[in-house]
Amino acid sequence: NDNTQWGMRGRAKWTPSENFDDSVIGYWSHIFAHCCTAEPINPTGVGGIATPGFLAASAANGTPFIKFTSLDNTVAAPDPGSDHTNVYGVSNQANWRVMGNYTITSITAWNEFHDDLNQTTSAGLPMNISGNVQTDSVKTYSEELRIASPKGRTIDILAGTYLFRQDLAYTQYLVAQADATRIFGAAGKTKPGDYYNYYFNQRTTSEALFGQATWNITSAWRATGGLRYNWENKSGSTATINGPADTKAWLSANTGAPAIGLTTSGTKLTWMANMQYDITERVMAYAVASTGYKSGGFNARANAPANFPLIFGPEISLNYEAGIKSTFFDRKVVINADVYRLLEKGFQQSLLNPLTGNGFIVGNAGNTVNDGLEIEAKWRPVESMTLNASGAFNDTHIYSYDAAPCATFPGTVNDGSKPGTCNLNGKRPQYNPSVTYNIGAEYRQPISDRLDGVAMLNGSYSGKQFLDATLDPRSIQRPYALINARLGVEGNGGQWTVSLFGKNLTGEAYYVAAATQPGAQYLSAGGTTAAGG
């Protein structure tokens, strides 16, 4: 699970006149990782993978299970995996000032992403279960053209158009290897050498018109309204080929079938309304209401309609927020705070395919209500020191999701509105700790006429949260705190910096993601029952 990355970025700016400037930005980066070995969570606990049947089957395979301790910073895999990623692109931004200082801006961009995953070891087990090779290529092109009025007039205007195209190609080759020991009932036996090739491609085109206007009612009172109308179309296809020819649909219902054509399209009008009022010169209050839209799409790794819906729907949000931004005591104290309610409909959620155990897929996980409070404060008691603290508190719960995929945890009650599903209404969704906060201090002191010494200390806290979309109790990450520090010197004005830093200085071990055992359908927990964990 190590990784090495390097890259380069450059920018050139041309200003031939006071009314025109042009900037070109180019970048390239490469990441190489021995990816992505997982660690079993509490193998010997309730619902852990280390059942007597699994331990016996592993030992009979000649690959005894050895990973009985969680969070000890070790993993078990037959090989380290190999993943190469290249990301590069170029953009050009041109600005013309015309018609009494109106600004016309054009931003043209091209970006590419290529990932070659030569082997994964995601099962986190010391056995050769499957060989998995994946390639992913994404190319995007975009053009934004907008006009903005000069600032400070009675009405400030911004309007424009945005054009976008993306081409995506994904392939996967998965082959059962020597230690794939799961015995299927009616489907027959998965034999080493059985494989499938999976192909997916997608083209997305999107066009949008947008505009907003700010009415400066008085020098202290401003109102802003905005609209965006979006057209989008996605088209693609998916195909799966199993082999050898006598393989009995061990992973896909698409064996030998022609490619499945996919298409989805839609339009959406979103809006924003914002009011700001300067209570004093140092205190501004605001209230905003806005809508958001995330288009639907395709499950590139669903394998077949029988395994999971190939198309998922859009996500729509409605947000209300009110807050205050302020400074006091000659700008030595900053206090910002806001409260919000965010409503999400058709919430898009990713989880490991519950029917195949291979590949993460996306579904519309009902609706959510998010109520929260955020506070930020900074204090500079002396010129050389800044103290800061921030916190977020939220009450988030799910509703209209009574046919959710169920956790595989023993004793889970399938109480959903459809057979084999669970009712998650009223539950807190994954990645939603009720409390998070940060505290920190920065000390800056001149060492010489040209050098400043800088010292920083930061602490963060995250409350309890589920990491798995099914809210499996094995995926609960308990509260944890992290401490980071930095010590360095920099040239006056920050032209350069040299520093020593330490992250997670207390060595806190915690999970950032969790899922049911990958590849469980290959593994025997005794007889024809699949291993859990």
Side-chain angles (χ1 to χ4, degrees):
N1 287 331
D2 66 319
N3 82 53
T4 303
Q5 51 187 300
W6 59 88
M8 56 193 300
R9 178 182 176 91
R11 174 173 178 167
K13 186 174 183 179
W14 178 44
T15 309
S17 72
E18 62 180 10
N19 294 322
F20 177 81
D21 65 79
D22 187 90
S23 297
V24 179
I25 298 174
Y27 72 94
W28 171 83
S29 67
H30 176 81
I31 303 172
F32 171 69
H34 291 111
C35 184
C36 303
T37 309
E39 181 184 16
I41 296 176
N42 194 15
T44 58
V46 177
I49 193 173
T51 63
F54 171 73
L55 293 177
S58 298
N61 245 9
T63 52
F65 183 73
I66 59 175
K67 189 72 177 66
F68 291 98
T69 304
S70 300
L71 288 173
D72 61 353
N73 299 315
T74 66
V75 293
D79 58 65
S82 177
D83 188 13
H84 289 265
T85 303
N86 288 286
V87 188
Y88 47 89
V90 64
S91 65
N92 185 85
Q93 177 171 333
N95 300 298
W96 295 268
R97 280 158 290 279
V98 298
M99 300 182 299
N101 218 25
Y102 280 76
T103 302
I104 297 175
T105 299
S106 170
I107 304 175
T108 306
W110 160 73
N111 296 278
E112 291 202 18
F113 169 93
H114 298 278
D115 181 63
D116 293 301
L117 185 58
N118 297 323
Q119 171 65 13
T120 62
T121 53
S122 58
L125 303 172
M127 56 182 69
N128 287 302
I129 302 168
S130 63
N132 186 9
V133 178
Q134 301 175 46
T135 62
D136 194 8
S137 175
V138 183
K139 301 177 181 180
T140 63
Y141 313 86
S142 64
E143 169 63 31
E144 179 175 328
L145 184 64
R146 65 175 186 255
I147 185 169
S149 66
K151 296 289 186 180
R153 299 191 176 187
T154 303
I155 297 180
D156 298 331
I157 296 175
L158 173 71
T161 183
Y162 181 74
L163 308 175
F164 174 85
R165 194 182 91 178
Q166 180 190 76
D167 293 305
L168 181 150
Y170 170 75
T171 63
Q172 181 183 25
Y173 171 73
L174 187 68
V175 59
Q177 293 184 340
D179 297 329
T181 61
R182 167 75 196 279
I183 306 298
F184 286 86
K189 182 179 180 179
T190 299
K191 303 180 294 296
D194 289 351
Y195 69 88
Y196 79 77
N197 284 318
Y198 179 67
Y199 307 91
F200 173 79
N201 66 80
Q202 173 182 290
R203 169 167 288 184
T204 300
T205 55
S206 179
E207 303 168 6
L209 294 174
F210 60 87
Q212 75 175 43
T214 298
W215 179 21
N216 298 300
I217 304 169
T218 69
S219 60
W221 190 12
R222 299 168 296 282
T224 301
L227 295 172
R228 178 186 179 97
Y229 193 78
N230 196 80
W231 297 265
E232 184 164 280
N233 177 268
K234 292 182 180 179
S235 60
S237 64
T238 178
T240 307
I241 301 173
N242 286 355
D246 62 345
T247 302
K248 297 182 179 180
W250 63 296
L251 276 177
S252 169
N254 275 355
T255 306
I260 297 175
L262 303 168
T263 182
T264 182
S265 61
T267 61
K268 186 64 179 179
L269 177 68
T270 53
W271 54 266
M272 178 271 291
N274 179 32
M275 188 73 72
Q276 296 181 3
Y277 182 70
D278 296 331
I279 301 173
T280 70
E281 186 180 351
R282 302 295 189 199
V283 180
M284 185 271 283
Y286 69 92
V288 62
S290 61
T291 58
Y293 174 73
K294 187 189 295 182
S295 63
F298 311 132
N299 269 310
R301 298 178 69 178
N303 299 123
N307 288 341
F308 210 82
L310 292 177
I311 299 177
F312 57 89
E315 177 183 325
I316 301 170
S317 64
L318 174 61
N319 182 59
Y320 303 98
E321 183 177 337
I324 190 170
K325 295 182 181 293
S326 61
T327 64
F328 302 98
F329 305 111
D330 194 26
R331 299 182 181 271
K332 292 182 179 180
V333 174
V334 173
I335 298 176
N336 301 324
D338 69 84
V339 294
Y340 64 87
R341 164 162 280 199
L342 173 63
L343 308 174
E344 294 172 300
K345 182 178 180 181
F347 178 62
Q348 294 175 0
Q349 190 173 60
S350 173
L351 76 161
L352 191 70
N353 192 320
L355 298 179
T356 69
N358 278 306
F360 282 80
I361 43 81
V362 177
N364 295 103
N367 308 327
T368 65
V369 177
N370 309 266
D371 296 318
L373 165 68
E374 298 173 326
I375 301 174
E376 176 189 28
K378 294 182 180 180
W379 178 35
R380 193 172 63 202
V382 295
E383 188 67 27
S384 57
M385 177 176 286
T386 301
L387 307 176
N388 63 80
S390 62
F393 313 88
N394 83 77
D395 179 19
T396 302
H397 62 272
I398 302 168
Y399 69 99
S400 298
Y401 197 31
D402 55 9
C406 291
T408 58
F409 187 71
T412 297
V413 177
N414 295 6
D415 57 354
S417 59
K418 297 179 181 179
T421 65
C422 286
N423 187 339
L424 298 187
N425 288 337
K427 304 290 183 64
R428 178 180 288 271
Q430 68 180 142
Y431 300 124
N432 261 280
S434 59
V435 178
T436 59
Y437 62 78
N438 290 272
I439 56 174
E442 176 181 317
Y443 184 77
R444 186 178 297 269
Q445 184 68 34
I447 298 175
S448 68
D449 292 341
R450 296 185 177 182
L451 294 178
D452 288 342
V454 182
M456 289 180 281
L457 184 66
N458 173 264
S460 64
Y461 171 88
S462 180
K464 184 178 76 172
Q465 59 186 305
F466 284 98
L467 300 181
D468 183 66
T470 65
L471 307 188
D472 191 310
R474 292 169 295 186
S475 77
I476 291 177
Q477 172 57 53
R478 300 187 181 279
Y480 62 92
L482 305 176
I483 297 176
N484 307 318
R486 183 178 294 270
L487 182 66
V489 295
E490 67 178 36
N492 293 142
Q495 297 97 331
W496 57 267
T497 301
V498 177
S499 61
L500 299 173
F501 65 88
K503 296 182 178 180
N504 191 7
L505 294 178
T506 59
E508 183 74 17
Y510 59 98
Y511 292 112
V512 295
T516 52
Q517 175 66 45
Q521 74 275 22
Y522 304 104
L523 307 171
S524 174
T528 60
T529 303

